[in-house]
Coordinates of all heavy atoms in Angstrom, one line a residue:
M1202 N 12.7 -10.7 1.7 CA 13.7 -11.2 0.7 C 12.9 -11.4 -0.6 O 11.8 -12.0 -0.6 CB 14.3 -12.5 1.2 CG 15.2 -13.1 0.2 SD 16.2 -14.3 1.1 CE 16.1 -15.7 0.0
A1203 N 13.5 -10.9 -1.7 CA 12.8 -11.1 -3.0 C 13.0 -12.5 -3.5 O 14.0 -13.0 -3.3 CB 13.4 -10.0 -3.9
S1204 N 12.0 -12.9 -4.3 CA 12.0 -14.1 -4.9 C 12.4 -14.0 -6.4 O 12.2 -13.0 -7.0 CB 10.8 -14.9 -4.7 OG 9.7 -14.2 -5.4
V1205 N 12.9 -15.1 -6.9 CA 13.3 -15.0 -8.4 C 12.0 -15.1 -9.2 O 11.2 -15.9 -9.0 CB 14.2 -16.2 -8.6 CG1 14.5 -16.4 -10.2 CG2 15.5 -16.2 -7.8
R1206 N 12.0 -14.2 -10.1 CA 10.8 -14.1 -11.0 C 11.3 -14.9 -12.3 O 11.9 -14.4 -13.1 CB 10.5 -12.7 -11.4 CG 10.0 -11.8 -10.3 CD 8.4 -11.9 -10.2 NE 7.7 -11.9 -11.4 CZ 7.2 -10.8 -12.0 NH1 7.3 -9.7 -11.4 NH2 6.6 -10.9 -13.1
E1207 N 11.0 -16.2 -12.3 CA 11.4 -17.0 -13.4 C 10.9 -16.6 -14.7 O 11.6 -16.7 -15.7 CB 11.0 -18.5 -13.1 CG 11.7 -19.1 -12.0 CD 11.4 -20.5 -11.7 OE1 11.1 -21.3 -12.7 OE2 11.6 -21.1 -10.6
D1208 N 9.7 -16.0 -14.7 CA 9.2 -15.4 -16.0 C 10.1 -14.3 -16.6 O 10.3 -14.2 -17.8 CB 7.7 -15.0 -15.9 CG 7.6 -14.0 -14.8 OD1 8.3 -13.9 -13.9 OD2 6.6 -13.1 -15.0
R1209 N 10.6 -13.5 -15.7 CA 11.4 -12.4 -16.1 C 12.9 -12.9 -16.5 O 13.4 -12.4 -17.5 CB 11.6 -11.4 -14.9 CG 10.4 -10.7 -14.4 CD 9.8 -9.8 -15.4 NE 10.8 -8.7 -15.6 CZ 10.6 -7.5 -15.7 NH1 9.3 -7.0 -15.7 NH2 11.5 -6.6 -15.9
V1210 N 13.3 -13.9 -15.9 CA 14.6 -14.5 -16.2 C 14.5 -15.2 -17.6 O 15.3 -14.9 -18.5 CB 15.1 -15.5 -15.2 CG1 16.3 -16.3 -15.7 CG2 15.4 -14.9 -13.9
A1211 N 13.3 -15.9 -17.8 CA 13.2 -16.5 -19.1 C 13.1 -15.4 -20.2 O 13.6 -15.6 -21.4 CB 11.9 -17.4 -19.1
E1212 N 12.3 -14.4 -20.0 CA 12.2 -13.3 -21.0 C 13.5 -12.7 -21.3 O 13.8 -12.4 -22.4 CB 11.2 -12.2 -20.4 CG 11.0 -11.1 -21.4 CD 10.0 -10.0 -20.8 OE1 9.2 -10.4 -19.9 OE2 10.2 -8.9 -21.2
A1213 N 14.3 -12.4 -20.3 CA 15.6 -11.8 -20.5 C 16.6 -12.7 -21.3 O 17.3 -12.2 -22.2 CB 16.3 -11.5 -19.2
L1214 N 16.6 -14.0 -21.0 CA 17.3 -14.9 -21.8 C 16.8 -15.1 -23.2 O 17.7 -15.1 -24.2 CB 17.2 -16.3 -21.1 CG 18.2 -16.5 -19.9 CD1 17.8 -17.9 -19.2 CD2 19.6 -16.4 -20.3
A1215 N 15.5 -15.0 -23.4 CA 15.0 -15.1 -24.8 C 15.4 -13.9 -25.6 O 15.6 -14.1 -26.8 CB 13.5 -15.2 -24.7
R1216 N 15.7 -12.8 -25.0 CA 16.0 -11.6 -25.7 C 17.6 -11.3 -25.8 O 18.0 -10.3 -26.3 CB 15.3 -10.4 -25.2 CG 13.8 -10.5 -25.4 CD 13.1 -9.3 -25.0 NE 11.7 -9.4 -25.0 CZ 10.9 -9.4 -26.1 NH1 11.5 -9.2 -27.3 NH2 9.6 -9.5 -26.1
N1217 N 18.3 -12.1 -25.1 CA 19.7 -11.9 -25.0 C 20.5 -12.3 -26.2 O 20.5 -13.5 -26.6 CB 20.3 -12.8 -23.8 CG 21.8 -12.5 -23.5 OD1 22.6 -12.0 -24.4 ND2 22.1 -12.6 -22.3
P1218 N 20.9 -11.3 -27.0 CA 21.5 -11.6 -28.3 C 22.8 -12.3 -28.3 O 23.2 -13.0 -29.2 CB 21.7 -10.2 -28.9 CG 21.8 -9.3 -27.8 CD 20.9 -9.9 -26.7
I1219 N 23.5 -12.3 -27.1 CA 24.8 -12.9 -27.0 C 24.7 -14.5 -27.2 O 25.7 -15.1 -27.7 CB 25.6 -12.6 -25.7 CG1 27.1 -12.9 -25.9 CG2 25.0 -13.3 -24.6 CD1 27.8 -12.0 -26.8
L1220 N 23.6 -15.1 -26.9 CA 23.5 -16.5 -26.9 C 23.5 -17.0 -28.5 O 23.7 -18.1 -28.7 CB 22.3 -17.0 -26.2 CG 22.3 -16.8 -24.7 CD1 21.0 -17.3 -24.1 CD2 23.4 -17.6 -24.1
V1221 N 23.3 -16.1 -29.3 CA 23.3 -16.5 -30.8 C 24.7 -16.9 -31.2 O 24.8 -17.6 -32.2 CB 22.7 -15.3 -31.6 CG1 22.8 -15.5 -33.1 CG2 21.3 -15.0 -31.3
T1222 N 25.7 -16.6 -30.4 CA 27.0 -17.0 -30.8 C 27.1 -18.5 -30.8 O 28.0 -19.0 -31.5 CB 28.1 -16.4 -29.8 OG1 27.8 -16.9 -28.5 CG2 28.1 -14.9 -29.9
A1223 N 26.2 -19.2 -30.1 CA 26.2 -20.7 -30.2 C 25.9 -21.2 -31.6 O 26.2 -22.3 -31.9 CB 25.2 -21.2 -29.2
L1224 N 25.4 -20.3 -32.5 CA 25.1 -20.7 -33.9 C 26.3 -20.5 -34.8 O 26.2 -21.0 -35.9 CB 23.9 -19.9 -34.4 CG 22.6 -20.0 -33.6 CD1 21.5 -19.2 -34.2 CD2 22.1 -21.5 -33.6
N1225 N 27.3 -19.8 -34.3 CA 28.5 -19.6 -35.2 C 29.0 -20.8 -35.9 O 29.2 -20.7 -37.2 CB 29.6 -18.9 -34.4 CG 29.3 -17.4 -34.0 OD1 28.3 -16.9 -34.4 ND2 30.1 -16.9 -33.2
P1226 N 29.2 -21.9 -35.3 CA 29.8 -23.1 -36.0 C 28.8 -23.7 -37.0 O 29.2 -24.3 -37.9 CB 30.0 -24.1 -34.9 CG 29.9 -23.4 -33.6 CD 29.1 -22.2 -33.8
I1227 N 27.6 -23.4 -36.8 CA 26.5 -23.9 -37.7 C 26.2 -23.1 -38.9 O 26.2 -23.6 -40.1 CB 25.2 -24.2 -37.0 CG1 25.4 -24.9 -35.6 CG2 24.1 -24.9 -37.8 CD1 26.0 -26.3 -35.8
I1228 N 26.0 -21.8 -38.7 CA 25.5 -20.9 -39.8 C 26.6 -19.8 -40.1 O 26.4 -19.0 -41.0 CB 24.2 -20.2 -39.5 CG1 24.3 -19.3 -38.2 CG2 23.1 -21.2 -39.3 CD1 23.0 -18.5 -37.9
G1229 N 27.7 -19.8 -39.3 CA 28.7 -18.8 -39.6 C 28.5 -17.5 -38.8 O 27.4 -17.2 -38.4
Y1230 N 29.6 -16.9 -38.5 CA 29.6 -15.7 -37.6 C 28.8 -14.5 -38.3 O 28.0 -13.9 -37.5 CB 31.1 -15.2 -37.5 CG 31.1 -13.8 -36.8 CD1 31.0 -13.8 -35.4 CD2 31.2 -12.6 -37.5 CE1 31.1 -12.6 -34.7 CE2 31.3 -11.4 -36.8 CZ 31.2 -11.4 -35.5 OH 31.2 -10.2 -34.8
E1231 N 28.9 -14.3 -39.5 CA 28.2 -13.1 -40.1 C 26.7 -13.3 -40.0 O 26.0 -12.3 -39.5 CB 28.6 -13.0 -41.6 CG 30.0 -12.6 -41.8 CD 30.3 -11.2 -41.2 OE1 29.5 -10.3 -41.3 OE2 31.5 -11.0 -40.8
K1232 N 26.2 -14.5 -40.2 CA 24.7 -14.7 -40.2 C 24.2 -14.7 -38.8 O 23.2 -14.0 -38.5 CB 24.4 -16.0 -40.8 CG 22.9 -16.2 -41.1 CD 22.7 -17.5 -41.9 CE 21.8 -17.2 -43.0 NZ 21.4 -18.4 -43.8
A1233 N 25.0 -15.3 -37.9 CA 24.7 -15.2 -36.5 C 24.6 -13.8 -35.9 O 23.8 -13.4 -35.2 CB 25.6 -16.1 -35.7
A1234 N 25.6 -13.0 -36.3 CA 25.8 -11.7 -35.8 C 24.6 -10.8 -36.4 O 24.0 -10.1 -35.6 CB 27.1 -11.0 -36.3
A1235 N 24.1 -11.1 -37.6 CA 23.0 -10.4 -38.2 C 21.7 -10.7 -37.5 O 20.9 -9.9 -37.2 CB 22.9 -10.7 -39.6
I1236 N 21.6 -12.0 -37.0 CA 20.4 -12.4 -36.3 C 20.3 -11.7 -34.9 O 19.4 -11.2 -34.5 CB 20.4 -13.9 -36.1 CG1 20.0 -14.5 -37.5 CG2 19.4 -14.4 -35.0 CD1 20.3 -16.1 -37.5
A1237 N 21.5 -11.7 -34.2 CA 21.6 -11.0 -32.9 C 21.4 -9.6 -33.1 O 20.6 -9.1 -32.2 CB 23.1 -11.3 -32.3
T1238 N 21.9 -9.0 -34.0 CA 21.7 -7.6 -34.2 C 20.2 -7.2 -34.5 O 19.6 -6.3 -33.9 CB 22.6 -6.9 -35.4 OG1 23.9 -7.2 -35.0 CG2 22.3 -5.4 -35.6
R1239 N 19.6 -8.0 -35.3 CA 18.2 -7.8 -35.7 C 17.3 -8.0 -34.4 O 16.4 -7.2 -34.2 CB 17.8 -8.7 -36.8 CG 16.4 -8.4 -37.3 CD 16.1 -9.2 -38.5 NE 14.6 -9.3 -38.6 CZ 13.9 -10.3 -39.1 NH1 14.5 -11.3 -39.6 NH2 12.6 -10.3 -39.2
A1240 N 17.6 -9.1 -33.8 CA 16.8 -9.4 -32.6 C 16.8 -8.2 -31.6 O 15.9 -7.8 -30.9 CB 17.2 -10.7 -31.9
Y1241 N 18.0 -7.7 -31.3 CA 18.3 -6.6 -30.4 C 17.5 -5.3 -30.8 O 16.8 -4.7 -30.1 CB 19.7 -6.4 -30.2 CG 20.1 -5.2 -29.3 CD1 20.0 -5.4 -28.0 CD2 20.4 -4.0 -29.7 CE1 20.3 -4.5 -27.0 CE2 20.7 -3.0 -28.9 CZ 20.6 -3.2 -27.5 OH 20.9 -2.2 -26.6
K1242 N 17.7 -5.0 -32.1 CA 17.2 -3.8 -32.6 C 15.6 -3.8 -32.6 O 15.0 -2.8 -32.4 CB 17.6 -3.5 -34.1 CG 19.1 -2.9 -34.1 CD 19.4 -2.7 -35.6 CE 20.8 -2.1 -35.6 NZ 21.3 -1.8 -37.0
E1243 N 15.0 -5.0 -32.9 CA 13.6 -5.1 -33.0 C 13.0 -5.5 -31.7 O 11.7 -5.7 -31.6 CB 13.3 -6.1 -34.1 CG 13.6 -5.7 -35.5 CD 13.4 -6.7 -36.5 OE1 12.7 -7.7 -36.3 OE2 13.8 -6.5 -37.7
H1244 N 13.8 -5.7 -30.6 CA 13.3 -6.1 -29.3 C 12.5 -7.4 -29.4 O 11.4 -7.5 -28.8 CB 12.5 -5.0 -28.6 CG 13.2 -3.7 -28.6 ND1 14.2 -3.5 -27.6 CD2 13.1 -2.6 -29.3 CE1 14.6 -2.2 -27.8 NE2 14.0 -1.7 -28.8
R1245 N 13.1 -8.4 -30.2 CA 12.3 -9.6 -30.4 C 13.2 -10.7 -29.8 O 14.4 -10.6 -29.7 CB 12.1 -9.8 -31.8 CG 11.2 -8.8 -32.4 CD 11.0 -9.0 -33.9 NE 10.6 -10.4 -34.2 CZ 10.7 -11.0 -35.4 NH1 11.4 -10.4 -36.3 NH2 10.2 -12.1 -35.6
P1246 N 12.6 -11.8 -29.4 CA 13.3 -13.0 -29.0 C 14.2 -13.5 -30.1 O 13.9 -13.5 -31.3 CB 12.2 -14.0 -28.7 CG 11.1 -13.2 -28.4 CD 11.1 -12.1 -29.3
R1247 N 15.5 -13.9 -29.8 CA 16.4 -14.4 -30.8 C 16.0 -15.6 -31.5 O 16.2 -15.7 -32.6 CB 17.8 -14.6 -30.1 CG 17.8 -15.6 -29.0 CD 19.1 -15.8 -28.3 NE 19.1 -16.4 -27.0 CZ 18.1 -17.2 -26.5 NH1 17.1 -17.5 -27.1 NH2 18.3 -17.7 -25.3
L1248 N 15.2 -16.4 -30.8 CA 14.7 -17.6 -31.5 C 13.7 -17.3 -32.6 O 13.8 -17.9 -33.7 CB 13.9 -18.5 -30.4 CG 13.3 -19.8 -31.0 CD1 14.4 -20.7 -31.5 CD2 12.4 -20.4 -30.0
D1249 N 12.9 -16.2 -32.5 CA 12.0 -15.9 -33.5 C 12.7 -15.3 -34.7 O 12.4 -15.8 -35.9 CB 11.0 -14.8 -33.0 CG 10.1 -15.3 -32.0 OD1 9.9 -16.5 -31.7 OD2 9.4 -14.4 -31.4
V1250 N 13.7 -14.6 -34.5 CA 14.5 -14.0 -35.6 C 15.4 -15.1 -36.3 O 15.4 -15.2 -37.5 CB 15.3 -12.9 -35.2 CG1 16.3 -12.3 -36.3 CG2 14.5 -11.7 -34.6
A1251 N 15.9 -16.0 -35.4 CA 16.7 -17.1 -36.0 C 15.8 -18.1 -36.8 O 16.3 -18.6 -37.8 CB 17.4 -17.9 -34.9
L1252 N 14.6 -18.3 -36.4 CA 13.7 -19.1 -37.2 C 13.5 -18.5 -38.6 O 13.4 -19.2 -39.6 CB 12.4 -19.2 -36.5 CG 12.2 -20.3 -35.4 CD1 10.9 -20.2 -34.6 CD2 12.3 -21.7 -36.1
E1253 N 13.4 -17.2 -38.7 CA 13.2 -16.5 -39.9 C 14.4 -16.5 -40.8 O 14.4 -16.5 -42.0 CB 12.7 -15.1 -39.7 CG 11.3 -15.0 -39.0 CD 11.0 -13.6 -38.5 OE1 11.7 -12.6 -38.8 OE2 9.9 -13.5 -37.9
D1254 N 15.6 -16.3 -40.2 CA 16.8 -16.0 -40.9 C 17.9 -17.1 -41.0 O 18.8 -17.0 -41.8 CB 17.5 -14.7 -40.3 CG 16.6 -13.5 -40.5 OD1 15.6 -13.6 -41.2 OD2 16.9 -12.5 -39.9
S1255 N 17.7 -18.1 -40.2 CA 18.9 -19.1 -40.1 C 18.7 -20.3 -41.1 O 19.7 -20.9 -41.4 CB 19.1 -19.7 -38.7 OG 18.0 -20.5 -38.4
G1256 N 17.5 -20.6 -41.4 CA 17.3 -21.8 -42.2 C 17.2 -23.1 -41.5 O 17.0 -24.2 -41.9
L1257 N 17.3 -22.9 -40.0 CA 17.2 -24.1 -39.2 C 15.8 -24.2 -38.7 O 15.1 -23.2 -38.5 CB 18.2 -23.9 -38.0 CG 19.7 -23.8 -38.4 CD1 20.5 -23.4 -37.2 CD2 20.2 -25.1 -39.1
D1258 N 15.4 -25.5 -38.3 CA 14.1 -25.7 -37.8 C 14.0 -25.4 -36.3 O 15.1 -25.2 -35.7 CB 13.5 -27.0 -38.1 CG 14.3 -28.2 -37.4 OD1 14.6 -28.0 -36.2 OD2 14.4 -29.2 -38.0
E1259 N 12.8 -25.2 -35.7 CA 12.6 -24.7 -34.4 C 13.3 -25.7 -33.4 O 13.9 -25.3 -32.4 CB 11.2 -24.6 -34.1 CG 10.9 -24.0 -32.6 CD 9.5 -23.7 -32.4 OE1 8.7 -23.8 -33.3 OE2 9.3 -23.3 -31.2
A1260 N 13.1 -27.0 -33.5 CA 13.7 -28.0 -32.6 C 15.2 -27.9 -32.5 O 15.8 -27.9 -31.4 CB 13.2 -29.4 -33.0
E1261 N 15.8 -27.8 -33.7 CA 17.3 -27.6 -33.7 C 17.8 -26.2 -33.0 O 18.7 -26.3 -32.3 CB 17.8 -27.7 -35.2 CG 19.3 -27.5 -35.3 CD 20.1 -28.8 -34.8 OE1 19.5 -29.8 -34.3 OE2 21.2 -28.8 -35.0
L1262 N 17.0 -25.2 -33.3 CA 17.4 -23.9 -32.7 C 17.2 -23.9 -31.3 O 18.0 -23.5 -30.5 CB 16.5 -22.8 -33.4 CG 17.0 -22.4 -34.8 CD1 15.9 -21.4 -35.4 CD2 18.3 -21.7 -34.7
R1263 N 16.1 -24.6 -30.8 CA 15.9 -24.7 -29.3 C 17.0 -25.5 -28.7 O 17.5 -25.1 -27.6 CB 14.6 -25.3 -29.0 CG 13.4 -24.3 -29.3 CD 12.1 -24.8 -28.7 NE 11.0 -23.9 -29.1 CZ 10.8 -22.9 -28.3 NH1 11.4 -22.5 -27.3 NH2 9.7 -22.1 -28.7
R1264 N 17.5 -26.5 -29.3 CA 18.6 -27.3 -28.8 C 19.8 -26.5 -28.7 O 20.6 -26.4 -27.8 CB 18.7 -28.6 -29.6 CG 19.8 -29.5 -29.1 CD 20.0 -30.7 -30.0 NE 20.7 -30.3 -31.3 CZ 22.0 -30.1 -31.4 NH1 22.8 -30.2 -30.4 NH2 22.4 -29.8 -32.6
L1265 N 20.2 -25.8 -29.8 CA 21.4 -25.0 -30.0 C 21.5 -23.8 -29.1 O 22.5 -23.4 -28.6 CB 21.6 -24.6 -31.4 CG 21.9 -25.7 -32.4 CD1 21.8 -25.2 -33.9 CD2 23.2 -26.3 -32.2
L1266 N 20.3 -23.2 -28.8 CA 20.2 -22.0 -28.1 C 19.8 -22.2 -26.6 O 19.5 -21.1 -25.9 CB 19.3 -20.9 -28.7 CG 19.7 -20.5 -30.1 CD1 18.6 -19.7 -30.7 CD2 21.0 -19.8 -30.1
D1267 N 19.7 -23.4 -26.1 CA 19.4 -23.7 -24.8 C 20.4 -23.2 -23.8 O 21.5 -23.8 -23.7 CB 19.1 -25.2 -24.6 CG 18.8 -25.7 -23.2 OD1 18.5 -24.7 -22.4 OD2 18.7 -26.8 -22.9
P1268 N 20.1 -22.1 -23.0 CA 21.1 -21.6 -22.1 C 21.6 -22.6 -21.0 O 22.8 -22.6 -20.6 CB 20.5 -20.4 -21.5 CG 19.0 -20.6 -21.7 CD 18.9 -21.5 -22.9
T1269 N 20.7 -23.5 -20.6 CA 21.2 -24.5 -19.6 C 22.2 -25.5 -20.2 O 23.2 -25.8 -19.6 CB 19.9 -25.3 -19.1 OG1 19.0 -24.3 -18.5 CG2 20.4 -26.4 -18.0
A1270 N 21.9 -25.9 -21.4 CA 22.9 -26.8 -22.1 C 24.2 -26.1 -22.4 O 25.2 -26.7 -22.3 CB 22.2 -27.4 -23.4
L1271 N 24.1 -24.8 -22.8 CA 25.3 -24.1 -23.1 C 26.2 -23.9 -21.9 O 27.4 -23.7 -22.0 CB 25.0 -22.7 -23.7 CG 24.3 -22.8 -25.1 CD1 23.8 -21.4 -25.4 CD2 25.4 -23.2 -26.1
T1272 N 25.6 -23.8 -20.7 CA 26.4 -23.6 -19.5 C 26.7 -24.9 -18.7 O 27.4 -24.9 -17.8 CB 25.7 -22.7 -18.6 OG1 24.5 -23.1 -18.2 CG2 25.6 -21.3 -19.2
A1273 N 26.2 -26.0 -19.2 CA 26.3 -27.3 -18.4 C 27.7 -27.8 -18.3 O 28.1 -28.5 -17.3 CB 25.4 -28.4 -19.0
G1274 N 28.5 -27.5 -19.3 CA 29.9 -28.1 -19.3 C 30.7 -27.6 -18.2 O 31.6 -28.3 -17.6
G1275 N 30.6 -26.2 -17.9 CA 31.5 -25.7 -16.9 C 33.0 -25.8 -17.2 O 33.3 -26.0 -18.4
I1276 N 33.8 -25.6 -16.3 CA 35.3 -25.7 -16.5 C 35.7 -27.1 -16.2 O 35.3 -27.7 -15.2 CB 35.9 -24.8 -15.5 CG1 35.5 -23.3 -15.7 CG2 37.4 -25.0 -15.5 CD1 36.0 -22.3 -14.7
Q1277 N 36.3 -27.7 -17.2 CA 36.7 -29.1 -17.1 C 37.9 -29.2 -16.2 O 38.9 -28.5 -16.4 CB 37.0 -29.7 -18.5 CG 35.8 -29.6 -19.4 CD 34.6 -30.4 -19.0 OE1 34.8 -31.5 -18.5 NE2 33.4 -29.9 -19.0
A1278 N 37.9 -30.2 -15.3 CA 39.1 -30.5 -14.4 C 40.2 -31.1 -15.3 O 40.0 -31.7 -16.3 CB 38.6 -31.6 -13.4
G1279 N 41.4 -30.7 -15.0 CA 42.5 -31.2 -15.7 C 42.7 -30.5 -17.0 O 43.4 -31.1 -17.8
G1280 N 42.2 -29.3 -17.2 CA 42.2 -28.7 -18.5 C 43.6 -28.1 -18.8 O 43.8 -27.6 -20.0
G1281 N 44.5 -28.0 -17.9 CA 45.8 -27.5 -18.1 C 46.0 -26.1 -18.0 O 47.0 -25.6 -18.5
G1282 N 45.0 -25.3 -17.6 CA 45.2 -23.9 -17.4 C 46.0 -23.6 -16.2 O 46.6 -24.4 -15.6
A1283 N 46.1 -22.3 -15.8 CA 46.8 -21.9 -14.7 C 46.3 -22.6 -13.4 O 45.1 -22.6 -13.2 CB 46.7 -20.4 -14.5
G1284 N 47.2 -23.2 -12.7 CA 46.8 -23.9 -11.5 C 46.2 -25.3 -11.8 O 45.7 -26.0 -10.9
G1285 N 46.1 -25.7 -13.1 CA 45.5 -27.0 -13.5 C 46.4 -28.0 -13.7 O 46.5 -29.1 -13.5

C-alpha cells in the first residue's frame, strides 16, 4: 500500500492556481486571475507570484490562501438546498 507523500501534496497545492480565487474579494477578479495565470505559466508557487503582484504581505496571503482554512467550512447544515 502506498503512503501519502505529504511533500508532494504540499508542492501540488502551492502550485495550484485555482486557490488564488480566494483573493477575488480582496484584490479583484482580474488581478487574482493574472496572478493565477502567471504562476501557472512560470511553474511557480502562487504565493510567490501573489507576493510580487498583489500588494498584500506574506502573513495575510498565507492566511487567505491556506487550503485547510478554505475547506474547513464544508457544507453547512440547514442551508436550505435540495434535501435541506
Side-chain angles (χ1 to χ4, degrees):
M1202 185 161 129
S1204 61
V1205 173
R1206 295 271 317 265
E1207 290 185 26
D1208 59 327
R1209 299 290 296 222
V1210 172
E1212 181 181 333
L1214 283 172
R1216 295 186 187 283
N1217 188 331
I1219 196 70
L1220 294 177
V1221 174
T1222 60
L1224 300 178
N1225 287 353
I1227 310 300
I1228 64 173
Y1230 173 83
E1231 295 295 328
K1232 193 174 229 180
I1236 289 169
T1238 300
R1239 182 173 164 214
Y1241 180 78
K1242 284 182 178 179
E1243 295 178 7
H1244 305 285
R1245 295 178 58 205
R1247 60 184 160 25
L1248 178 66
D1249 293 352
V1250 176
L1252 277 168
E1253 295 169 5
D1254 295 352
S1255 72
L1257 299 172
D1258 66 39
E1259 184 173 356
E1261 181 72 357
L1262 283 168
R1263 286 190 182 279
R1264 184 183 70 77
L1265 293 168
L1266 297 173
D1267 178 10
T1269 302
L1271 290 170
T1272 60
I1276 298 171
Q1277 300 298 316

